[in-house]
Amino acid sequence: MEERTLIILKPDAVKRRLIGRVLARFEDRGLNLIALKLFRLSDVDAREFYSIHADKHFFNELIAFITSDPVVAGIVEGRDAVNVVRMMIGNTNSPKAEPGTVRGDFGLGTTDNIIHASDSPDSFEKESKLIFS
Ligand code: CMP
């Protein structure tokens, strides 16, 4: 099924000049980038974006990290895009991510894990409204 999903290349990906290499993986897989922007997430938008994690112990660290430098947000479209992209990015905790996945090949940690991707079509709707409104 044709689907859309949202990706955010986090500050570690931008600082380490990995934007092109990460985006190329999705294009190589036959997915299409239909929107793309480089910007800095505000504290307010970051808290809204990650509000589902507001009560978690890592929330403050996550917000500080994601707002620390520019990010690249994109909308990726293709067959089963939500699941395909989630599989391609790998485990949240980079040291546990399989080689061949984005986090398994480039990620250093759990906070600095290179990329976020929507975990469901519902999340995509909410996240893309906030990021691309
Ligand atoms: P992401 O896919 O962007 O969604 C929530 C983020 O919280 C996650 O990636 C991680 O970067 C971050 N995070 C930090 N610590 C944890 C943790 N212990 N468990 C899950 N996510 C964490």
Side-chain angles (χ1 to χ4, degrees):
M1 190 183 68
E2 283 291 309
E3 229 173 32
R4 291 179 177 181
T5 192
L6 180 106
I7 56 170
I8 296 184
L9 305 193
K10 299 184 181 184
D12 51 337
V14 177
K15 273 198 286 204
R16 289 172 53 202
R17 301 168 191 258
L18 296 171
I19 299 167
R21 289 164 73 186
V22 174
L23 294 181
R25 291 181 172 220
F26 300 120
E27 295 189 314
D28 287 348
R29 185 73 189 251
L31 298 161
N32 296 315
L33 273 163
I34 61 161
L36 197 62
K37 73 170 177 178
L38 172 76
F39 68 111
R40 193 159 176 162
L41 253 177
S42 69
D43 184 74
V44 169
D45 283 350
R47 286 174 187 277
E48 171 71 25
F49 186 84
Y50 280 126
S51 56
I52 195 169
H53 298 301
D55 59 351
K56 309 267 173 62
H57 67 90
F58 57 80
F59 186 66
N60 287 340
E61 188 185 342
L62 174 61
I63 299 305
F65 176 68
I66 203 76
T67 58
S68 64
D69 265 304
V71 297
V72 171
I75 296 179
V76 173
E77 186 178 70
R79 217 174 296 170
D80 281 319
V82 170
N83 283 332
V84 169
V85 170
R86 293 287 291 185
M87 278 194 309
M88 289 177 71
I89 72 175
N91 195 297
T92 303
N93 183 359
S94 301
K96 290 197 174 151
E98 294 281 334
T101 63
V102 174
R103 289 164 173 162
D105 291 347
F106 302 119
L108 297 177
T110 304
T111 302
D112 46 349
N113 66 353
I114 301 288
I115 188 166
H116 166 86
S118 309
D119 63 7
S120 67
D122 267 6
S123 298
F124 165 72
E125 293 299 330
K126 286 182 200 131
E127 293 175 357
S128 57
K129 273 199 188 94
L130 179 69
I131 301 295
F132 283 98
S133 59

